[in-house]
């Protein structure tokens, strides 16, 4: 960068000095070099190099079985049986315990603030298998607990609390301004990852052993080899998948070959459990693999709350999403280059089918309304309609949102239909797995007309009038002309611009405006600057290209002498003004027609409801 600057200065110096010994076109070489260096400086720019300041990738340590067992023993000693069992049920069968999800979002400049409120059902059921043969059951329990955690033996203590998994997030992701609160607004206690590791050990134990219960309620009898095999599978999942982050050597002898041991471990679950087809059917193996995969590639945020009375209780969490995560479309990337705020939100909706009902609402920024709200497939731009959820299991959900109603708040409502899982909470394996296509909610905002485009249209009109005045007034081309005060109008142009901007455009409003408004404002400013440059050049030396224009639309044909460059600029400026006013009129008519149509439709619905009620 420094070398380019020095070379540019030296080239400019050689291009300006008079060297009498140089003949021919050789004296143009320094000028050409200066132009090339200037273009290189403008293109390259300043690129900071902060790689040497980077912390680098973390180096996770593979946990030992003893560490996981110690964490499991720690949570057993600290929390009661009810707290751990509720955590297991809510984690492994969330659809049976999550009643409602309310997600509220607001866009403030370049940041998106989101608050998610979770309403849980608090009902405890003893999901542990009954043991008619106490001796055999005790021997089996001691056998399985030799190298893993047995939830049935967790002793209760005086701690009246429950453990609640409130967030499942991709490992490595850090939330901005995250806070979890109770229904009273007070922050709740978030337990440490060490304790969560112990809870995961108990959850994996429950996930594998809950399927050993037979139809008569008794625990299936396992041989010592089967017990050892099942214990090895559980420990392998804990050590090499759920409780481990990162890559490990593929085998001890190939220390330089790194593979994802988590993928290998998850791929072996189905194969290892298939040796017990009577205990672990294909559907059960798929369920275990699916849950282990989620727990492997995601981490949990678990809250400790005071044990409520039987019924429902509420917990919420809030965080901020930066604008970088919202700029997923080319239009948003282009808006970022112009310094504009994002107006499109691509929001993955991951909790829509986790609860009995889901409600999403997004508040539009001040001065804007919801222009478009639709659903798209996650990972693509394919639009989704009601028929896209026809094959959702166990039953097609009820879904609705507002479309083209000009509201300031976007809504998405999803409700589960048919039999609800909570009607069969007595067994943790009875609720069906909810399968539905993954989707995202796409919301696009637009300024409430007339908005910023009104002020820009006024600026464009003033600029066009001034340019057309100089085009035909002949003052710039004939110093002895009548309009000697024309330069005063040029000097007053910034005043017109400032007055118009102060009336219709402010900084925040312009940042939320459309790309059309931003580009139109740039064109208006460019037209104004070109008119000033033309006037200065004409004052120094007459601009070539004078033409004579016949104004045939007048009663008597009139010949007007003008300049081709001024005439081109005047026509271009006039066309720009016409386009801006056309865009302003189109946006205003669309918005008003949409409000009228929405009001008429709502009135018809109210009349229909009144007739049906009577």
């Amino acid at each position: 960068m420094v070398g380019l600057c020095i070379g540019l200065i030296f080239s400019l110096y050689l291009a300006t000095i008079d060297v009498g010994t140089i003949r021919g076109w050789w004296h143009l070489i320094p000028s050409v070099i200066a132009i090339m260096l200037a273009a290189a400086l403008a293109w390259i720019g300043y690129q900071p190099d902060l790689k040497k300041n980077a912390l680098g990738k973390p180096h996770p340590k593979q946990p030992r079985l003893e560490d996981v067992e110690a964490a499991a023993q720690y949570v057993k000693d600290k929390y009661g049986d009810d707290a751990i069992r509720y955590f297991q049920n809510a984690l492994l069968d969330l659809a049976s315990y999550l009643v409602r999800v309310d997600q509220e979002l607001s866009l403030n400049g370049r940041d998106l603030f989101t608050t998610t409120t979770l309403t849980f059902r608090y009902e405890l059921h003893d999901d542990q298998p009954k043991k008619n043969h106490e001796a055999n059951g005790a021997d089996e329990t001691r056998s399985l607990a030799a190298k893993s955690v047995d939830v049935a033996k967790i002793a209760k203590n005086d701690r009246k609390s429950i453990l609640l998994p409130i967030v499942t997030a991709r490992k490595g992701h850090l939330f901005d301004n995250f806070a979890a609160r109770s229904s009273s607004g007070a922050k709740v206690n978030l337990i440490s990852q060490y304790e969560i590791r112990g809870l995961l050990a108990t959850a994996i134990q429950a996930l594998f052993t809950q399927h050993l219960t037979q139809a008569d309620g008794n625990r299936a009898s396992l041989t010592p080899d089967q017990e050892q095999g099942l214990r090895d599978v559980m420990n392998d999942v804990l050590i090499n998948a759920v409780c481990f982050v990162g890559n490990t050597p593929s085998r001890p002898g190939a220390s330089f070959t790194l593979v994802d041991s988590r993928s290998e471990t998850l791929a072996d679950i189905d194969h290892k459990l298939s040796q017990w087809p009577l205990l672990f059917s294909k559907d059960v193996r798929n369920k275990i693999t699916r849950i282990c995969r989620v727990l492997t590639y995601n981490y949990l945020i678990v809250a400790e709350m005071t044990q409520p009375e039987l019924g429902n209780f509420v917990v919420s969490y809030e965080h901020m999403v930066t604008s970088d995560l919202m700029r997923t479309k080319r239009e948003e990337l282009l808006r970022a280059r112009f310094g504009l705020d994002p107006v499109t939100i691509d929001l993955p909706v991951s909790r829509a089918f986790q609860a009995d009902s889901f409600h999403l609402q997004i508040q539009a920024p001040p001065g804007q309304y919801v222009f478009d709200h639709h659903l798209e497939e996650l990972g693509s731009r394919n639009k989704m309609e009601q028929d896209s959820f026809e094959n959702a299991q166990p039953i097609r959900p009820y879904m609705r949102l507002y479309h083209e109603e000009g509201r300031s708040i976007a809504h998405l409502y999803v409700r589960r239909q048919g039999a609800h899982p909570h009607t069969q909470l007595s067994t943790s394996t009875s609720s069906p797995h909810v399968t539905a296509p993954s989707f995202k909610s796409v919301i696009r905002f637009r300024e409430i007309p007339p908005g910023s485009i009104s002020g820009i249209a006024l600026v464009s009109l003033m600029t066009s009038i001034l340019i057309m005045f100089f085009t035909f007034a002949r003052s710039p081309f004939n110093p002895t002309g009548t309009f000697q005060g024309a330069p005063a109008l040029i000097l007053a142009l910034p005043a017109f611009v400032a007055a118009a901007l102060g009336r219709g455009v402010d900084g925040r409003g312009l940042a939320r405006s459309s790309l059309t408004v931003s580009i139109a404002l740039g064109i208006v400013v460019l037209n104004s600057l070109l008119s000033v440059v033309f006037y200065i050049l004409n004052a120094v030396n007459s601009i070539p290209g004078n033409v004579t224009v016949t104004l045939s639309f007048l009663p008597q044909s009139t010949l007007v002498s003008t300049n081709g460059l001024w005439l081109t600029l005047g026509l271009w400026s006039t066309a720009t003004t016409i386009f801006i006013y056309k865009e302003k009129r189109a946006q205003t008519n669309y918005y008003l027609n949409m409000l009228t149509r929405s009001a008429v439709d709502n009135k018809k619905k109210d009349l229909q409801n009144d007739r049906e009620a009577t």
Side-chain angles (χ1 to χ4, degrees):
M1 185 68 66
V2 177
L4 289 177
C5 295
I6 295 175
L8 177 60
I9 296 174
F10 185 70
S11 300
L12 291 175
Y13 172 75
L14 293 179
T16 55
I17 64 175
D18 185 12
V19 182
T21 58
I22 298 179
R23 295 291 185 268
W25 56 271
W26 292 97
H27 69 282
L28 297 177
I29 294 179
S31 300
V32 174
I33 295 177
I35 295 175
M36 295 175 61
L37 292 176
L41 281 174
W43 178 261
I44 296 175
Y46 173 67
Q47 297 293 337
D49 185 12
L50 300 178
K51 294 181 179 179
K52 59 182 179 180
N53 298 335
L55 177 63
K57 295 183 179 180
H59 298 280
K61 180 182 178 181
Q62 185 174 13
R64 299 177 304 171
L65 181 59
E66 294 78 6
D67 299 334
V68 177
E69 290 178 346
Q73 185 62 43
Y74 178 80
V75 297
K76 287 196 298 182
D77 296 338
K78 185 175 181 180
Y79 305 102
D81 182 29
D82 289 346
I84 294 181
R85 189 165 68 250
Y86 190 87
F87 168 81
Q88 294 172 354
N89 294 339
L91 178 66
L92 304 179
D93 192 19
L94 183 61
S96 297
Y97 288 83
L98 194 55
V99 178
R100 181 179 175 89
V101 177
D102 292 281
Q103 196 168 2
E104 300 179 4
L105 299 97
S106 61
L107 188 62
N108 184 11
R110 300 177 184 272
D111 298 322
L112 179 66
F113 295 89
T114 173
T115 301
T116 304
T117 303
L118 308 176
T119 303
F120 282 88
R121 181 181 296 106
Y122 184 69
E123 297 180 23
L124 286 177
H125 296 269
D126 189 5
D127 297 335
Q128 304 302 327
K130 300 178 181 179
K131 298 182 184 298
N132 295 334
H133 306 285
E134 297 182 359
N136 295 336
D139 293 340
E140 179 185 342
T141 300
R142 285 192 296 269
S143 178
L144 280 177
K147 287 294 184 179
S148 58
V149 180
D150 189 355
V151 181
K153 288 298 183 180
I154 295 179
K156 291 184 178 181
N157 54 22
D158 296 332
R159 195 182 186 94
K160 299 298 182 181
S161 62
I162 61 172
L163 300 175
L164 191 66
I166 58 175
V167 176
T168 303
R170 172 181 52 84
K171 288 184 177 179
H173 174 72
L174 299 178
F175 288 93
D176 296 331
N177 296 338
F178 182 89
R181 304 180 185 276
S182 62
S183 57
S184 63
K187 287 189 176 182
V188 299
N189 178 37
L190 303 179
I191 70 174
S192 66
Q193 286 297 315
Y194 176 77
E195 294 176 337
I196 294 177
R197 175 178 292 181
L199 292 175
L200 288 177
T202 65
I204 294 298
Q205 167 74 17
L207 176 64
F208 280 84
T209 58
Q210 68 184 1
H211 300 285
L212 300 180
T213 304
Q214 297 176 338
D216 57 1
N218 294 324
R219 177 70 64 85
S221 178
L222 301 178
T223 64
D225 293 339
Q226 290 176 334
E227 295 175 4
Q228 182 63 38
L230 182 59
R231 184 167 59 247
D232 293 340
V233 174
M234 290 187 293
N235 293 339
D236 187 36
V237 170
L238 283 173
I239 302 302
N240 295 320
V242 175
C243 296
F244 180 70
V245 180
N247 299 326
T248 56
S250 58
R251 50 186 179 274
S255 58
F256 296 100
T257 303
L258 297 182
V259 297
D260 193 345
S261 63
R262 299 169 297 179
S263 299
E264 291 185 347
T265 301
L266 295 173
D268 290 340
I269 293 179
D270 183 81
H271 173 70
K272 292 180 179 179
L273 294 182
S274 61
Q275 58 183 317
W276 305 298
L278 297 180
L279 299 177
F280 300 97
S281 63
K282 182 63 176 179
D283 293 338
V284 170
R285 297 198 302 270
N286 290 338
K287 175 184 177 181
I288 293 176
T289 303
R290 184 181 65 253
I291 295 178
C292 290
R293 186 177 301 278
V294 172
L295 297 178
T296 297
Y297 294 103
N298 298 273
Y299 70 92
L300 298 177
I301 296 180
V302 181
E304 179 188 7
M305 300 186 63
T306 304
Q307 190 178 70
E309 300 294 334
L310 293 181
N312 296 343
F313 65 96
V314 175
V315 61
S316 64
Y317 62 91
E318 58 191 33
H319 64 97
M320 182 182 70
V321 180
T322 58
S323 59
D324 294 338
L325 300 178
M326 293 184 289
R327 301 191 186 277
T328 57
K329 292 187 176 181
R330 292 184 179 179
E331 180 185 0
E332 291 301 321
L333 296 176
L334 188 59
R335 289 181 60 87
R337 290 184 178 274
F338 281 89
L340 303 177
D341 292 344
V343 294
T344 303
I345 299 176
D346 286 13
L347 183 68
V349 184
S350 58
R351 291 188 177 273
F353 306 108
Q354 293 181 352
D356 295 348
S357 61
F358 171 84
H359 182 213
L360 168 69
Q361 62 178 14
I362 303 179
Q363 175 71 51
Q368 291 187 316
Y369 71 97
V370 180
F371 172 67
D372 180 31
H373 186 192
H374 63 273
L375 305 181
E376 295 180 359
E377 291 182 4
L378 193 63
S380 69
R381 297 298 180 191
N382 298 329
K383 304 296 188 299
M384 302 187 70
E385 300 177 349
Q386 292 285 356
D387 292 340
S388 303
F389 302 90
E390 182 178 3
N391 297 324
Q393 297 295 331
I395 194 170
R396 181 174 179 170
Y398 174 86
M399 305 180 66
R400 63 169 301 186
L401 53 78
Y402 290 123
H403 180 69
E404 283 194 314
E405 295 195 12
R407 296 174 177 265
S408 60
I409 299 179
H411 293 267
L412 172 63
Y413 180 71
V414 181
R415 185 177 71 238
R416 183 183 294 150
Q417 300 187 106
H420 288 194
H422 75 268
T423 60
Q424 299 175 335
L425 277 177
S426 58
T427 58
S428 59
T429 61
S430 58
S431 60
H433 174 56
V434 179
T435 58
S438 300
F439 69 96
K440 58 184 176 181
S441 183
V442 181
I443 303 98
R444 184 179 180 183
F445 303 108
R446 178 177 282 187
E447 268 193 307
I448 298 178
S452 302
I453 197 172
S454 176
I456 295 173
L458 179 60
V459 175
S460 180
L461 178 62
M462 293 295 179
T463 304
S464 299
I465 292 175
L466 288 173
I467 293 177
M468 295 303 292
F469 171 79
F470 283 110
T471 299
F472 295 103
R474 298 180 59 198
S475 177
F477 322 117
N478 185 6
T480 61
T482 305
F483 300 98
Q484 295 297 324
L489 295 177
I490 288 277
L491 297 177
L493 180 60
F496 286 105
V497 176
L501 289 175
R503 176 183 175 183
V505 182
D506 58 6
R508 297 309 309 166
L510 187 60
R512 293 190 294 264
S513 62
S514 64
L515 276 174
T516 302
V517 172
S518 180
I519 295 174
L521 179 60
I523 294 176
V524 171
V525 173
L526 181 61
N527 292 341
S528 178
L529 292 177
L530 286 176
S531 65
V532 175
V533 172
F534 285 176
Y535 182 84
I536 296 175
L537 291 177
N538 191 80
V540 177
N541 190 10
S542 178
I543 301 178
N546 292 336
V547 295
T548 300
V549 180
T550 301
L551 303 180
S552 57
F553 56 86
L554 296 177
Q556 294 181 351
S557 298
T558 304
L559 298 179
V560 178
S561 297
T562 183
N563 182 270
L565 293 177
W566 275 96
L567 181 61
T568 303
L569 181 61
L571 294 177
W572 167 253
S573 178
T574 303
T576 302
T577 302
I578 294 175
F579 171 79
I580 293 176
Y581 270 92
K582 176 180 175 297
E583 185 69 16
K584 172 190 172 185
R585 180 175 177 272
Q587 292 185 11
T588 303
N589 290 342
Y590 173 80
Y591 180 72
L592 295 179
N593 292 337
M594 180 174 52
L595 290 181
T596 302
R597 185 171 59 251
S598 175
V600 172
D601 293 342
N602 291 332
K603 185 64 175 178
K604 291 181 179 179
K605 293 178 181 178
D606 293 339
L607 293 177
Q608 183 179 358
N609 292 336
D610 292 340
R611 286 195 299 267
E612 293 177 353
T614 57

